[in-house]
Amino acid sequence: MSDPDLVTYAIWFAFGCVSLAQVMAMVRLILGPNTADRILALDTMTLNAIGLIVLLGLAQGTQIYFEAALIVAMLGFVSTVGYCRFVLRGDIIE
Amino acid sequence: MARFRRALLPHPLLTLLLIVTWCLVSNSIALGSIVLGAILGVLIPILTLPFWPDAPKALRTARMVGYMGVVIWDIVVANIAVAWIVVTRANPAMRSTWVVVPLDLRTPEAITVLAGTITLTPGTVSADLSDEGHALLVHALDAEDPDAVAREIKDRYERRLKEIFE
Amino acid sequence: MTATLIIDIATAVSLVIGAVFTFVGSYGLLKLDDPMKRLHAPTKAGTLGVGSLLLGSILAALGRGEPSLQEVLIVAFLFVTAPISAHFICKVNLHRRSCDTPPAPVNDTTWSTLDTPPTGAPKPS
């Protein structure tokens, strides 16, 4: 890399932003005030977690975290739908 | 020959999608992964055939690509607009309303794509479909005139989807 | 020489854009005051934010000289599933009546989420 400093600074900036975003989503998860907000906060935390995993892979210069990010994405979607189904129908699989 | 092709490849686009996905998952375009992807791409559509009783009619692929270009452009532009509204505007100053969009589309696939497009485009979220499927309920974050939002959705996306799907 | 510099700059720019949008998404989640308004911030900015971070990852892999497109899978998955999650959370809001009551639809009688059997009636199986 010809200019490693630029990308390194960008990665650290992104780490800061995404971590703050994760904390804010967690505050919303604690505050509530109702079920839909908590589901939404969990969904957002999953998205931010994917971002953090990707940034970790970038900072270490490897591709091995790709599967982890993909699995977190899939689990996050399925759990969001599962929570919503439970609230809507009182049951997940009828 | 045509019947043989339909028996072996009931959904050619799904087969292509599976091959591409397999190559992306294994992160190589070597011959081995393409062949394994092709085997999966032939087997999975045949095994899941009972779940897809009626195949969608031939789609206009060129128009689909054009539609995706329009949607990606709108996602980027409207994302910046919504981020600006979220950061700068105080809560009471946001005129968020419900918008009712009457639907001309009839096929479920087209309505699904329309609802997904509305949600992906920032500023609007599709919330619900009416019980007979003739209207879509959309929530707008900041809309001066709800009718203008409904008109724009119908003019910009629904007209194009009608050309693609129906 | 210049090509790697351009790739580095593009990587840094897309990382910064993605980080800012992710931040704004969660900031909106915390700031907005109505459940339906809150739904707007993260499902949008979050998706573009993470999409841009993954674009940065693709570009960085290109800059390292080992191009890979695996991240495209995650982006495609997120873009397909984000509307479905948002739609389900909308349905929860409508079902729990935790938002303003929407206006009646134009041609039909009611919205499908609000179309529940009267209380006491047996649940349709």
Side-chain angles (χ1 to χ4, degrees):
Chain A
M1 256 185 241
S2 63
D3 192 2
D5 286 342
L6 189 64
V7 177
T8 314
Y9 284 138
I11 289 173
W12 284 113
F13 174 77
F15 260 125
C17 278
V18 181
S19 309
L20 266 178
Q22 187 78 307
V23 170
M24 289 193 295
M26 202 159 72
V27 171
R28 177 52 76 192
L29 178 70
I30 294 166
L31 287 180
N34 57 46
T35 322
D37 290 320
R38 295 208 163 92
I39 298 172
L40 185 59
L42 269 178
D43 196 43
T44 314
M45 286 181 75
T46 315
L47 279 177
N48 292 344
I50 298 166
L52 282 175
I53 292 170
V54 169
L55 284 173
L56 192 65
L58 262 177
Q60 300 184 357
T62 63
Q63 286 285 324
I64 56 170
Y65 293 113
F66 159 76
E67 276 87 1
L70 191 61
I71 287 170
V72 169
M74 289 178 171
L75 275 181
F77 170 66
V78 172
S79 61
T80 305
V81 171
Y83 282 132
C84 291
R85 288 289 293 178
F86 185 72
V87 174
L88 284 169
R89 307 298 294 250
D91 210 346
I92 296 171
I93 301 167
E94 291 172 17
Chain B
M1 191 62 209
R3 262 186 60 213
F4 178 72
R5 191 200 62 85
R6 218 172 302 140
L8 197 64
L9 295 173
H11 303 284
L13 279 177
L14 181 63
T15 306
L16 192 66
L17 185 70
L18 282 167
I19 294 173
V20 171
T21 309
W22 183 256
C23 286
L24 284 175
V25 167
S26 57
N27 202 18
S28 71
I29 41 174
L31 186 65
S33 59
I34 293 177
V35 168
L36 189 53
I39 292 171
L40 288 175
V42 171
L43 276 184
I44 290 176
I46 292 175
L47 292 177
T48 59
L49 199 55
F51 307 148
W52 311 63
D54 31 42
K57 288 190 285 295
L59 305 173
R60 295 186 182 83
T61 318
R63 291 225 172 131
M64 201 109 160
V65 172
Y67 180 77
M68 280 165 75
V70 169
V71 170
I72 289 173
W73 173 250
D74 282 5
I75 287 173
V76 173
V77 169
N79 246 311
I80 295 167
V82 166
W84 186 249
I85 289 173
V86 165
V87 171
T88 59
R89 196 82 64 84
N91 269 320
M94 282 181 212
R95 298 152 292 189
S96 62
T97 51
W98 294 105
V99 178
V100 178
V101 181
L103 287 175
D104 293 329
L105 297 170
R106 290 266 54 90
T107 51
E109 295 92 0
I111 294 176
T112 311
V113 174
L114 180 66
T117 307
I118 290 170
T119 304
L120 276 179
T121 328
T124 47
V125 170
S126 53
D128 210 352
L129 197 66
S130 66
D131 53 355
E132 305 284 337
H134 290 104
L136 197 64
L137 180 64
V138 173
H139 189 269
L141 179 65
D142 182 53
E144 213 168 328
D145 178 15
D147 294 334
V149 175
R151 262 201 310 279
E152 200 197 332
I153 289 170
K154 284 189 82 68
D155 193 51
R156 199 167 170 81
Y157 305 121
E158 197 184 12
R159 190 172 48 77
R160 288 193 170 89
L161 284 175
K162 213 172 166 59
E163 287 170 359
I164 294 174
F165 282 96
E166 291 178 5
Chain C
M1 182 63 204
T2 45
T4 52
L5 186 66
I6 290 171
I7 289 176
D8 278 359
I9 290 173
T11 310
V13 167
S14 64
L15 280 180
V16 168
I17 290 174
V20 167
F21 272 108
T22 315
F23 181 80
V24 170
S26 291
Y27 174 69
L29 181 71
L30 197 57
K31 175 201 167 193
L32 300 175
D33 59 350
D34 179 68
M36 282 307 296
K37 269 196 225 165
R38 278 201 276 273
L39 192 56
H40 285 277
T43 53
K44 322 296 189 170
T47 309
L48 185 77
V50 176
S52 192
L53 287 179
L54 288 162
L55 180 69
S57 173
I58 294 174
L59 287 171
L62 195 68
R64 279 201 306 273
E66 39 187 67
S68 83
L69 283 174
Q70 287 184 318
E71 281 84 355
V72 174
L73 263 187
I74 304 182
V75 176
F77 187 80
L78 285 180
F79 270 58
V80 170
T81 56
I84 303 171
S85 313
H87 177 69
F88 264 103
I89 296 170
C90 273
K91 281 174 89 78
V92 170
N93 265 328
L94 287 170
H95 179 74
R96 306 273 300 202
R97 308 290 194 279
S98 52
C99 55
D100 303 339
T101 311
V106 278
N107 295 322
D108 300 331
T109 46
T110 186
W111 300 108
S112 50
T113 307
L114 302 174
D115 188 16
T116 47
T119 46
K123 204 173 165 188
S125 55

